[in-house]
Amino acid sequence: MTNRDIVKIAANDTCLINIDGSLKKQKVAVYARVSTMKDLQKTSFELQVSTYYKQVTSNPLWEFAGVFADYGKSGTNITQRTEFNKMVELARLGEIDIILTKSISRFTRDTISGLKAIQELRKLGVEVRFEKENITTNDTSFDFFLTIFTSVAEEESKINSSNVLWTYKKKMENGGNTTPRIYGYTFDKEGNFIINPKQGPAVKLIFDLYIEGKTLNEIIETLHKEGFKTLNGKDRFSIGTLNGILRNEKYAGDMLLQKTTVSKIGSRDSKPNLTKPKYYVSDNHEPIVSKETFNAVQEIIKNRANRFYTPPKVKTDFEYANYVYSIIGEKFYKSKINHRNTKHEIKLLEVLDNNRNRVLDAKNIYYAQIDKLLDEGANALLKSKFIKDEINDLLEKTIKASGVDDKINELTLEAESLSNELSNLNSLKIDTSARNQIKEKIKVELSEVNEQFLTLRYKKLMNYTYKKNIPLFMRKLKDLKNKRDVDLKEIFNFVIAVDRDNLILCIHLSNRNINEIDLNGEIDNIPFKSGNFKFIQTRLQIEVNWTIIII
C-alpha cells in the first residue's frame, strides 16, 4: 500500500475545495512585534518569526504569504508600524487569508485603531488568530472580548507609564539621581556619581579651553589630538555633545531634575518641561569643575549667543533629504539651496559630518540629477514585459550566490548524523559513565547545530523572501504604467551614492524592516537593471552610471 496524506477539513471550510475537488491553499501571513531593542526581546522576535514560519510551511492547507515584523515599535500607536500597515494593504489586494500572531497585545494595544484594523480585515475576509488567548476574529464573541482585553491592555500601559513617572517624581523630590549615564562619570550600586578617570580630564579640558576663548571646533581638534574618546568610543566629539557638556550643571556637582517631561502618558517622546516643578540639588556629588568655572562658562555662552544671534531660518520641505545615502560619508545627504529666491535658485544635496561641516570627498549631487535618475529607473522597469519572472530569476541567483541553501543542507545532514549517533549510543558496549559523557557531548553539539540552523533559516526568510512585497510593488508599477500619480520614492525606497557618478536605486522587497537595513552592506547585490545617462548642470558635465538592486 502506498503512503497516503490525510488532511482534515473543518465542516465550515468548504471554500478550501476547488471545483475540480483539489485543495485550495489559504495564504497565511505572520505578524510579529517587539517594542524595545533589548537583546532578550530581539531573541523573542526571531523566535516568534521562526516558529510561525515552521507552523505555516508544515500545514498542507496553507501557503506562506510573508512575515510582517515591526521591531522596536510600540503597540499603542498603529500609525508608526510600517509593516503592520503594509500587511493591511496586502490584505486589501486579496493576498492574505489568515494572519497568525502571538497575542492581542502584540497585535494592538490601542482599542480604537485596533478595532478599526480588525474590522477592516474581517470585511476583507481575513481571519486573525491569536495564539496566547486561543481566539480568532471569526469567533462570534470576539468583538466583546477584544473591547475588554484591549481596554485593559491600554490602561495597563498607561498605568505602567504612570508608575514609572511616579517613581521618578518621588526620586527627584528626594534629590535622587535619574541620570542613566553621563560623560565623565560612572555610578556605583547606590547610584552615586564617581568621576571617570579617563573621561573626567576631558571634561575639565573642555571647560578650560572654552574659557580661554577657543571655538567648539578648536576644542574638538584638541580633544582629538589628546586622544580622548566620546561616550560611545568615537574619535571625534560633536558640537552638540560639547554644547551639552558646557551647559550641564552636574559637572559642577549640582543636579537640576525634571528638565524634560513626556509629551503624554504612554508616549516616549520628551519635550522641555514648562509646566511641572523642577528640583535643584546643590553639592550632590564630587564636581569635575568648580562652580566659579561653570558660572563663567554660562556667562560666556550668554554673551556669545547675544553677539552672534541670527533669526531662525524658515524650514523648507526638501524632497530628497534623507533619501540619498552616501557610501563615502556613511550618512544620508542633506538638502541645501544655492541662490535662494532668485531665478538662478538650485537645489543640491550635500553630506555633513557631526559638526555640520561638509564632507568634501562626497561631492554634492543636484536635485535635477536625482530627478533624471528616478525617471531612467522607472522607464527601465516599464519596458520589462515579464518583470515578475525577472525578479524571481534574480532571487534564485541571489540565494545561490549567498550559499545559504548549501549551509542549511550541510547543517541538516550534520543534525541527522548527530541524531543517529545519539540513537546508536545505547547499543555500544561501554560503561554507563562514559555513555552519559558521550551523550551530553552529542546533545551540546546537536543544540549548537540546531541553533545555527534556525539562525540561517531566519536569515533566508527575512533576506531572501519577496512574496509579500511583490504584489504591492506590482500594483505601484501598474499605477505608473497607467499614468496615475505615483511617487517614485515609493518604488525606489532609497538611492545609494557610491559617488556622484555611480548611483544605485534600491527596491525593498525582502521581509526585513526597511529601517533596519544597513545600506553599506547592499552595494554588492546582484544588479537587477542598469544604464547610464549624461547630466549637464551649468559647468558640470558628467556620465552617470546607475543600477537597480533589490534589498
Side-chain angles (χ1 to χ4, degrees), residues 214-230:
K214 301 292 184 184
T215 66
L216 296 180
N217 280 320
E218 287 172 336
I219 295 172
I220 288 168
E221 286 302 321
T222 303
L223 292 169
H224 180 62
K225 287 175 184 176
E226 294 291 331
F228 289 111
K229 304 278 189 182
T230 68

Side-chain angles (χ1 to χ4, degrees), residues 237-256:
F237 288 74
S238 68
I239 286 176
T241 299
L242 293 196
N243 273 322
I245 289 172
L246 290 167
R247 288 168 168 79
N248 198 329
E249 75 291 335
K250 292 180 180 67
Y251 296 115
D254 299 345
M255 286 197 306
L256 176 60

Side-chain angles (χ1 to χ4, degrees), residues 382-423:
L382 292 175
K383 286 176 184 175
S384 294
K385 293 182 179 180
F386 307 103
I387 194 161
K388 200 170 178 180
D389 293 335
E390 290 176 29
I391 290 172
N392 288 327
D393 289 344
L394 178 68
L395 177 59
E396 284 184 25
K397 291 177 184 175
T398 303
I399 292 173
K400 188 174 181 179
S402 72
V404 67
D405 277 347
D406 292 337
K407 291 171 188 172
I408 286 174
N409 290 335
E410 285 174 16
L411 289 170
T412 302
L413 292 173
E414 192 175 343
E416 287 176 0
S417 175
L418 289 168
S419 296
N420 290 335
E421 280 186 47
L422 205 58
S423 299

Side-chain angles (χ1 to χ4, degrees), residues 97-327:
D97 298 311
I98 298 172
I99 297 169
L100 303 180
T101 190
K102 188 176 180 182
S103 67
I104 293 175
S105 63
R106 293 290 92 189
F107 198 75
T108 178
R109 282 194 172 186
D110 179 350
T111 307
I112 296 171
S113 58
L115 271 172
K116 187 178 177 183
I118 287 170
Q119 284 169 355
E120 182 182 356
L121 289 168
R122 288 170 78 178
K123 284 180 182 177
L124 294 167
V126 178
E127 176 189 2
V128 186
R129 298 185 182 183
F130 304 96
E131 179 191 3
K132 186 178 177 183
E133 293 80 17
N134 193 27
I135 194 169
T136 89
T137 53
N138 284 356
D139 292 343
T140 53
S141 60
F142 180 78
D143 284 347
F144 175 74
F145 176 83
L146 179 69
T147 305
I148 299 299
F149 184 90
T150 51
S151 295
V152 170
E154 194 172 356
E155 191 59 32
E156 180 187 334
S157 181
K158 289 181 179 179
I159 288 170
N160 287 339
S161 295
S162 297
N163 288 341
V164 171
L165 291 174
W166 183 87
T167 302
Y168 270 87
K169 183 183 176 185
K170 288 299 175 188
K171 206 170 187 180
M172 287 185 284
E173 286 175 353
N174 295 323
N177 173 39
T178 58
T179 304
R181 65 178 196 158
I182 180 174
Y183 189 79
Y185 286 102
T186 56
F187 301 99
D188 60 20
K189 291 181 180 179
E190 286 73 39
N192 298 314
F193 285 73
I194 309 295
I195 294 177
N196 185 312
K198 290 184 179 179
Q199 298 172 357
V203 173
K204 191 173 186 311
L205 181 60
I206 290 167
F207 277 87
D208 290 344
L209 292 173
Y210 196 78
I211 286 177
E212 289 176 16
K214 301 292 184 184
T215 66
L216 296 180
N217 280 320
E218 287 172 336
I219 295 172
I220 288 168
E221 286 302 321
T222 303
L223 292 169
H224 180 62
K225 287 175 184 176
E226 294 291 331
F228 289 111
K229 304 278 189 182
T230 68
L231 191 60
N232 295 321
K234 293 182 179 178
D235 292 330
R236 286 188 175 274
F237 288 74
S238 68
I239 286 176
T241 299
L242 293 196
N243 273 322
I245 289 172
L246 290 167
R247 288 168 168 79
N248 198 329
E249 75 291 335
K250 292 180 180 67
Y251 296 115
D254 299 345
M255 286 197 306
L256 176 60
L257 305 174
Q258 202 156 248
K259 296 176 189 176
T260 60
T261 184
V262 292
S263 302
K264 62 178 180 178
I265 290 179
S267 166
R268 293 177 185 169
D269 297 330
S270 63
K271 62 179 182 179
N273 175 24
L274 303 174
T275 57
K276 298 175 183 178
K278 297 183 179 73
Y279 304 92
Y280 198 91
V281 185
S282 299
D283 301 320
N284 177 73
H285 52 271
E286 184 182 355
I288 293 177
V289 299
S290 67
K291 284 186 173 58
E292 291 76 20
T293 298
F294 181 78
N295 291 333
V297 164
Q298 305 319 301
E299 195 63 32
I300 295 170
I301 290 172
K302 185 178 176 182
N303 291 337
R304 286 189 182 183
N306 291 333
R307 183 179 169 191
F308 298 109
Y309 174 77
T310 54
K313 294 179 181 177
V314 177
K315 286 192 176 180
T316 308
D317 183 26
F318 289 116
E319 188 181 1
Y320 298 138
N322 298 318
Y323 176 63
V324 181
Y325 181 81
S326 168
I327 293 295

Side-chain angles (χ1 to χ4, degrees), residues 486-514:
V486 176
D487 183 356
L488 292 180
K489 291 194 297 180
E490 291 182 5
I491 293 176
F492 304 112
N493 304 89
F494 292 116
V495 172
I496 301 175
V498 179
D499 53 44
R500 182 168 61 188
D501 304 346
N502 295 280
L503 304 176
I504 302 172
L505 289 157
C506 302
I507 299 173
H508 176 233
L509 293 182
S510 71
N511 280 317
R512 291 177 292 173
N513 189 306
I514 194 166

Side-chain angles (χ1 to χ4, degrees), residues 59 335-336 403 430:
N59 189 327
S335 293
K336 66 173 288 189
I430 54 175

